[in-house]
Amino acid sequence: MNVKVASPSVGQEEIDAVIDVIKSGNYVSGKRVKAFEEAFAEYVGAQYAVAVSNGTDALINALFGARVSPGNEVIVPPLTFFATVASVIHVGARPVFADIDPETYCLDPVFDREVLTERTAAILPVHIYGHPAEMDELNEIVYEEYDSRDRLRKRHKPYVIEDAAQAHGAEYKGKKVGSLADASCFSFYATKNMTTIEEGGMVTTNDGRIAKYVQVLRNHGMVNRNDHMYVGANNRLGEIGGAVGLIQLRKLDAMNMKRRSNTEYLHGGLSDMKLPWLGLPKVKPYVKHAWFWLPIFIDEDELGMSTLEFRDFLKEAGIGTRFRYVEPLYHQPALRPYGEHYSKLYLPNAEKICGKMLGLPNHQQLSQEELDYIVQTFKELG
Ligand SMILES: *Cc1c(COP(=O)(O)O)cnc(C)c1O
C-alpha cells in the first residue's frame, strides 16, 4: 500500500483548456484570467478578485494594498506556513506574533493585548488546515489609548487580512472565507484545495481602493503603457492559470465534499477506537471546514513514541503524512536579523502544539480501500 498525502485532481477538461490557451497565442492578461477573477469573486461573495502569480504575492499585494509600510507592525500566528510571516517583512513591516487557540489552531482573538500598539497596521489570521479563524472577534479589534485622566486620546482600527491559502470554500457563520475581512488571500499551489497547475494566487476584497491598487501593483505599477504610478513587480497570473482555475473552481465544492466525507470517515473510525494518545480536531459548530488537512495531535508520552517516530512508522506502513509546523515560526533562523527577541519568544499554546501534529491523507483521490487501510493501521497500534 502506498497512500499519498496529497494528489491534485486534474482531468481531461483541464488538459484541453491548457492546449486551447497554447493554440490561442494569448498567454497573459486576457479573457481567461478575467473570467476566473469574476467567477472567483462571485463564489466567495466579494466585490473584487484580483489574480496574482501565487499565494505569497497575494499576501504581499494585499498588505501593500492596505498601505502597510515600514514602521508598521502586523499581528500573525506562529503556526502557519512561513510565507504568512515573510510577506510582512517583504513590505518592510514587522511581524508580531500572538498565540493560537488550542482547539482551532487559528490566531486566538483574545491574544495578549500587549502586542496591539499604535503601530499595528494589520492583523493577519490564517484559516489553518481549512478551519476558519474567529473572524467576528478579529474584525472588532481596535487600538485605543487613554490619557492619565482616562480620556480617549487615540483610536485606530487595524486592517484585517485573511490568509485563506488553505481554506478555499470554507465558511464562517454562513459566509465564505474571502469575504470576511478587508482583504483575503488565496494560493492555487498544486496541493491546495484547488490548483491552477502553474503557480497562482488571488486577492479578494470589497474595498475598491485595495482592488485597484493590487491591479496596478501586480503589473509593474503601470497605469498606462508608459506611466508607472507605483513601484510594483510582475505578479501576474498567466492565461493557463486563468483557464485551469476557472475549471477547478467549478469542481471545488465537489472536491471539498469528497475531502469532507473522507475526513468524516477517518475521524469516525479513529474516534471509535478511543486511543488515549490521539487528539482529533474539533470543529466550531458555526463553520464549514475546508479540510485542507486532517490534523491529528500526538500525545508522545501516552504513545511512548515521538511524533517523528510515529511518522516514520506510518511511512513504513505506506501511509504518507504531513509533519508541519514543527516549531513556532518565531524560532526560524530567517527571522534572527529582524530582532533578537524573536528566538526568545514563548507562546504557550503554539509551543504545546507545534511538532506534535501530523496531517493524515484526506484528499479527494483516496480510495475506500486506502481509507480502510489507514483506520486498520491505527487499530493494530492500539
Ligand atoms: C500555501 C500557503 C501560502 C503560500 O502560497 P504559495 O502559492 O505557495 O505562495 C501562504 N500561506 C499559507 C497558510 C499557505 O498554506
Side-chain angles (χ1 to χ4, degrees):
M1 195 67 81
N2 177 22
V3 189
K4 282 202 268 186
V5 72
S7 175
S9 290
V10 175
Q12 194 57 44
E13 224 185 323
E14 285 86 346
I15 294 168
D16 291 343
V18 171
I19 292 168
D20 196 45
V21 174
I22 294 171
K23 285 184 178 162
S24 78
N26 295 319
Y27 303 144
V28 279
S29 311
K31 62 179 185 191
R32 293 171 182 89
V33 169
K34 202 162 178 11
F36 179 37
E37 288 174 334
E38 283 169 7
F40 201 86
E42 195 185 327
Y43 177 81
V44 302
Q47 225 171 322
Y48 309 94
V50 187
V52 290
S53 35
N54 55 62
T56 310
D57 286 333
L59 288 163
I60 293 170
N61 279 278
L63 287 163
F64 273 132
R67 298 301 199 274
V68 176
S69 45
N72 289 167
E73 293 174 355
V74 177
I75 296 174
V76 292
L79 178 98
T80 176
F81 181 55
F82 192 64
T84 313
V85 178
S87 64
V88 175
I89 293 175
H90 284 311
V91 305
R94 256 161 47 91
V96 176
F97 291 93
D99 211 355
I100 51 173
D101 177 314
E103 281 196 4
T104 64
Y105 312 127
C106 296
L107 183 65
D108 189 342
V110 298
F111 59 75
D112 180 2
R113 283 299 181 266
E114 294 262 293
V115 304
L116 190 69
T117 74
E118 57 187 338
R119 296 179 297 279
T120 309
I123 301 172
L124 186 44
V126 182
H127 307 312
I128 199 77
Y129 311 133
H131 190 298
E134 212 54 81
M135 295 308 294
D136 278 357
E137 278 95 330
L138 290 164
N139 278 318
E140 274 168 17
I141 291 171
V142 177
Y143 172 77
E144 286 177 336
E145 196 179 290
Y146 294 87
D147 65 12
S148 55
R149 291 164 67 188
D150 250 8
R151 285 175 310 203
L152 187 65
R153 238 170 46 118
K154 235 180 240 164
R155 184 175 202 281
H156 91 96
K157 190 176 171 334
Y159 276 98
V160 179
I161 298 172
E162 298 173 75
D163 183 340
Q166 304 187 354
H168 321 63
E171 291 178 18
Y172 175 80
K173 300 184 180 173
K175 285 172 76 181
K176 287 225 160 59
V177 307
S179 67
L180 304 169
D182 296 299
S184 315
C185 306
F186 292 87
S187 161
F188 306 121
Y189 179 72
T191 61
K192 304 283 162 118
N193 297 56
M194 60 175 280
T195 182
T196 44
I197 301 186
E198 55 167 340
E199 307 272 347
M202 191 77 82
V203 176
T204 60
T205 180
N206 286 319
D207 184 330
R209 226 187 38 134
I210 292 178
K212 186 77 211 155
Y213 194 44
V214 176
Q215 275 162 359
V216 174
L217 263 191
R218 70 169 166 184
N219 191 24
H220 306 288
M222 193 156 70
V223 282
N224 292 305
R225 191 66 241 183
N226 291 303
D227 298 321
H228 300 269
M229 282 301 281
Y230 313 108
V231 178
N234 177 358
N235 300 139
R236 295 179 303 246
L237 179 70
E239 285 286 280
I240 287 180
V244 174
L246 193 58
I247 295 165
Q248 287 268 302
L249 181 63
R250 283 193 212 115
K251 296 180 173 176
L252 177 62
D253 283 341
M255 293 193 292
N256 274 348
M257 207 121 68
K258 191 79 183 23
R259 273 180 195 268
R260 184 163 307 121
S261 66
N262 288 346
T263 303
E264 280 166 3
Y265 187 83
L266 291 172
H267 198 295
L270 297 179
S271 69
D272 283 350
M273 289 177 228
K274 300 198 175 11
L275 301 168
W277 49 269
L278 182 69
L280 290 164
K282 298 185 184 74
V283 182
K284 295 282 179 202
Y286 43 80
V287 312
K288 192 164 159 191
H289 204 307
W291 293 116
F292 175 53
W293 279 32
L294 167 47
I296 58 169
F297 179 78
I298 311 297
D299 185 328
E300 297 183 337
D301 294 335
E302 277 283 349
L303 180 62
M305 215 190 274
S306 73
T307 307
L308 196 58
E309 284 167 336
F310 183 52
R311 181 190 200 211
D312 288 342
F313 164 82
L314 290 174
K315 199 169 160 187
E316 286 284 305
I319 300 171
T321 55
R322 289 178 165 106
F323 182 40
R324 271 165 236 159
Y325 299 93
V326 174
E327 279 200 280
L329 288 182
Y330 43 78
H331 289 314
Q332 288 291 336
L335 290 178
R336 274 178 217 152
Y338 298 94
E340 286 187 0
H341 64 287
Y342 284 120
S343 60
K344 297 186 191 102
L345 256 176
Y346 186 92
L347 298 172
N349 293 336
E351 296 282 343
K352 209 172 69 195
I353 289 159
C354 288
K356 311 262 179 349
M357 300 250 287
L358 292 179
L360 291 182
N362 64 345
H363 59 82
Q364 55 273 17
Q365 308 279 44
L366 289 177
S367 65
Q368 186 57 44
E369 197 190 354
E370 289 174 313
L371 290 166
D372 286 329
Y373 179 71
I374 296 171
V375 175
Q376 195 53 39
T377 305
F378 275 71
K379 200 169 262 168
E380 278 162 21
L381 211 80

